[in-house]
Amino acid sequence: MGRSPCCEKAHTNKGAWTKEEDEKLISYIKAHGEGCWRSLPKAAGLLRCGKSCRLRWINYLRPDLKRGNFTAAEDELIIKLHGLLGNKWSLIAGRLPGRTDNEIKNYWNTTIKRKLLGRGLDPQTHRPIELITNPFATLKQQDVSMAQDCTTVAKVINFSSDDGSSSSTDLNLDLSISLPYHPSAEVSVATTSQYFVLQSRFNPS
DNA sequence: AATAGCAACAACCGCCTATGG
DNA sequence: GCCATAGGCGGTTGTTGCTAT
């Protein structure tokens, strides 16, 4: 027997939300707060799936959302975080106040991917595309060794100062609690550091 | 002016995880 | 420990609006 559906699909609306539906959802959450998404639609008088309500609220109606274009600083932060975390959009969104995982995911797929390709970097690995076809074409041996040493990553991308305090930037990138051990994670971190090693070489400002 | 192509974004789907009985 | 359920997440699709031809 399969999994039961999250709601009675025959009695729910789908597709774009109307203004009336938005208003019902907003007023209900203002009055009762978030929580129990399954029972919310009925209580709020909405013919929607609970999941759909949650998504609509989180991605579009929440009052603390920052609408509008991404700034250059946000761009760079997303790229850095993606290099460390991969497609963990919710974790990335957690580091960008007012931005949602869905928004960042869309922005990544439509804009940043192309931006990285334009820089000659593979969007998934963040490695120079040339390195993928010929892994040691441009890296000096010392760079490879350095990249393999994960402890250098913090220095390379300025996460923290030598005394362990946070970096001088206002970006809190302490991700130490978010990264479960996985052998491939070392590869990911190493490739990210390779990117910054190369970036500093090509763009030493 | 018509329309084809593309980019951006909203929303859905299916799977995974956490939690409570 | 097992099972059912709700919530959460990432991948994918559908829709809309803009631009180029």
Side-chain angles (χ1 to χ4, degrees):
Chain A
M1 190 168 117
R3 192 184 167 81
S4 64
C6 70
C7 49
E8 289 291 336
K9 291 192 176 187
H11 301 105
T12 56
N13 292 339
K14 288 177 75 173
W17 280 64
T18 65
K19 200 169 182 179
E20 288 73 27
E21 286 177 314
D22 281 349
E23 283 166 2
K24 279 184 182 178
L25 183 56
I26 291 168
S27 64
Y28 182 86
I29 290 177
K30 274 185 181 169
H32 302 93
E34 293 179 42
C36 200
W37 293 108
R38 188 178 169 82
S39 60
L40 184 150
K42 196 175 180 183
L46 288 162
L47 292 174
R48 287 277 178 176
C49 167
K51 276 186 168 186
S52 179
C53 294
R54 175 185 161 272
L55 216 60
R56 182 66 179 170
W57 173 255
I58 288 175
N59 289 329
Y60 201 79
L61 299 175
R62 250 169 48 197
D64 58 327
L65 289 181
K66 186 200 290 183
R67 311 296 302 181
N69 295 338
F70 283 80
T71 64
E74 285 176 318
D75 277 13
E76 291 306 315
L77 181 54
I78 291 168
I79 292 167
K80 285 179 184 178
L81 289 170
H82 186 272
L84 285 161
L85 300 168
N87 295 357
K88 300 291 179 188
W89 305 115
S90 61
L91 285 176
I92 294 172
R95 301 280 164 176
L96 285 125
R99 301 295 189 184
T100 70
D101 54 356
N102 202 41
E103 191 179 13
I104 293 169
K105 180 172 60 182
N106 282 331
Y107 186 57
W108 178 271
N109 286 326
T110 57
T111 305
I112 298 186
K113 259 186 182 176
R114 266 181 288 129
K115 187 184 262 190
L116 286 183
L117 287 170
R119 291 182 188 177
L121 297 170
D122 178 70
Q124 274 310 310
T125 64
H126 294 244
R127 299 176 68 184
I129 289 167
E130 188 182 350
L131 278 181
I132 294 168
T133 53
N134 184 4
F136 301 102
T138 57
L139 277 183
K140 289 180 179 175
Q141 184 56 45
Q142 66 185 63
D143 292 336
V144 176
S145 304
M146 183 180 175
Q148 286 168 343
D149 180 359
C150 295
T151 61
T152 62
V153 173
K155 290 180 183 175
V156 173
I157 52 181
N158 198 24
F159 275 160
S160 59
S161 58
D162 287 341
D163 64 5
S165 63
S166 59
S167 71
S168 58
T169 72
D170 58 355
L171 301 175
N172 176 8
L173 293 175
D174 178 9
L175 301 166
S176 56
I177 61 168
S178 306
L179 290 169
Y181 173 77
H182 189 281
S184 66
E186 290 189 20
V187 175
S188 169
V189 169
T191 55
T192 302
S193 64
Q194 284 177 347
Y195 159 57
F196 284 104
V197 166
L198 286 163
Q199 188 184 50
S200 63
R201 184 194 292 171
F202 295 138
N203 189 13
S205 57

